[in-house]
Every structure is written in structure tokens, then in C-alpha cells.
Amino acid sequence: LHMLENDIRPGKKNAFAFSDFYHIESLDREHEGLDIISMEDFLKRNLENSAVKPPKNEVDWNNKNLDPLWDHLRTVGHVKKFDPWSCIAVIPSAEGEEAITDLQNIMEDVKKLPDRDFAGNPIDVSAPAVERLQEMRADRDELCVYDREMQGQRLLHFKMDPEEGHRLLIHFYAFIFFQDWKHDLWTKRFVR
């Protein structure tokens, strides 16, 4: 994150990280079961794993060109294109094909419902999945499912490359849907 790039006055900081604005470490301490680590810690943990080992065993990428690291993670990680303008990223309430099929059937039911205006009349957060999915559908007819293939990966990498259509520039609450309403509510409150 660069700010005031042309300000080169001595002592003036013009490069910032998320940790300069958000207290990520405190979130890790406050929420049991949530394990947030830095990229450096992630790379250190994977030095022994030849499949994920960082380029040249470099773990500190601060103030460096990140392109070699991103290229490496795209090579060793699982990359799946999620287009927020054509699909909704959905997280099933359970593992396995049955839960995925259930979500796909819910979406088919949503497509059959008449269009509805939710402005000023939102759906309750604990409503059935079909109603919650209808509310956030917009013009999207497809689901981008966190499927068994993704669930089985050691590393998921969400690529950002607008030229190839990899860009998740959208409000998370308009794109990510958890079938379990309690997970959906927790995640959206947490991120907000």
C-alpha cells in the first residue's frame, strides 16, 4: 500500500502494510479457533515443504517486488477463477458432494422464484438458505463453490489479475454466501 508516492522527504513514511491500519494480531488473540499468521510466518512454516517452499527460501518480502512470490504461489497453490459478476462464492454447510448438490439445488430453486425488490425489506439473517441466496443473487445465475477439490488443497491462492478476469473487487458480503446462516453472520460481522 503506497501513499503519497512522490513525498520523498526524509523521515516521511510512504509505504504502509495492513498492520499499520488493522490490528490483525489482536484479532487472533480475541477469537478462539482463528489462527492468523503473517506471510513471513506462513513461508517459514513451509520451508521444509518442497511443494510450497518460497523462491530462494526467501521469507521476508517486505519492501520487495512481490511478483516472484505471487508467481510461485500461483504455481504451487490451487488457483480457481471466481468471477463475482457472474457467480456467488458459496460455502457448503458440510463437507462432501451431498452438501454441494444441496446448494446447487437451492440455486435452481432460486432461479425459479419471481424477481423481488429487497430494498427496505431485507431478509432475516436466519432465514432459509433459499431466501438468503435469492436476496444476494442480483443477476448472477452461477455458483462458485468451495468444493471438495478446494477443500482438499494445502494452499488456495486467489489470484489478482484483471487482464485475465481474476479480480475480486466487490464487497465480500455481496459475494460470499455461507449455507449455514450462523457462519454467514459470524463471518460478515467479523470482517465488518
Side-chain angles (χ1 to χ4, degrees), residues 123-189:
I123 293 296
D124 189 83
V125 295
S126 63
V130 67
E131 293 178 32
R132 293 184 300 110
L133 195 55
Q134 180 190 22
E135 182 180 35
M136 74 176 298
R137 178 181 171 210
D139 293 327
R140 299 171 290 193
D141 286 331
E142 302 299 321
L143 299 179
C144 292
V145 182
Y146 178 66
D147 57 18
R148 290 189 59 141
E149 181 183 19
M150 291 181 76
Q151 293 168 15
Q153 299 298 320
R154 177 165 173 76
L155 172 65
L156 298 175
H157 181 78
F158 288 90
K159 183 177 180 178
M160 293 298 166
D161 188 339
E163 291 177 10
E164 293 182 17
H166 290 275
R167 189 150 190 221
L168 297 179
L169 188 58
I170 189 168
H171 296 291
F172 71 94
Y173 48 82
F175 179 55
I176 300 173
F177 177 86
F178 289 81
Q179 185 177 10
D180 182 321
W181 72 268
K182 292 177 185 172
H183 291 161
D184 197 58
L185 182 62
W186 184 91
T187 303
K188 291 173 180 174
R189 285 182 173 170

Side-chain angles (χ1 to χ4, degrees), residues 20-84:
D20 290 315
F21 300 98
Y22 304 106
H23 302 285
I24 303 297
E25 293 81 17
S26 66
L27 294 174
D28 185 40
R29 288 189 303 270
E30 292 173 10
H31 296 277
E32 186 176 335
L34 183 65
D35 186 20
I36 300 173
I37 61 172
S38 67
M39 177 62 83
E40 185 173 348
D41 287 341
F42 170 77
L43 294 172
K44 283 178 183 175
R45 289 183 186 185
N46 283 286
L47 277 175
E48 301 304 316
N49 180 347
S50 60
V52 184
K53 188 183 293 189
K56 301 178 184 174
N57 292 334
E58 182 66 56
V59 295
D60 181 2
W61 288 82
N62 290 317
N63 300 316
K64 295 179 183 167
N65 177 6
L66 296 174
D67 290 338
L69 177 61
W70 300 149
D71 290 341
H72 172 72
L73 292 176
R74 290 173 187 150
T75 302
V76 300
H78 180 74
V79 178
K80 195 166 188 175
K81 184 176 176 182
F82 279 12
D83 179 3

Side-chain angles (χ1 to χ4, degrees), residues 57-122:
N57 292 334
E58 182 66 56
V59 295
D60 181 2
W61 288 82
N62 290 317
N63 300 316
K64 295 179 183 167
N65 177 6
L66 296 174
D67 290 338
L69 177 61
W70 300 149
D71 290 341
H72 172 72
L73 292 176
R74 290 173 187 150
T75 302
V76 300
H78 180 74
V79 178
K80 195 166 188 175
K81 184 176 176 182
F82 279 12
D83 179 3
W85 307 114
S86 64
C87 72
I88 300 168
V90 294
I91 314 295
S93 59
E95 292 183 37
E97 288 303 318
E98 187 177 324
I100 293 169
T101 300
D102 186 38
L103 268 172
Q104 292 166 335
N105 290 338
I106 290 170
M107 184 60 164
E108 291 306 313
D109 290 343
V110 167
K111 290 179 190 178
K112 295 173 189 171
L113 296 172
D115 287 339
R116 202 170 143 190
D117 183 5
F118 294 98
N121 190 24

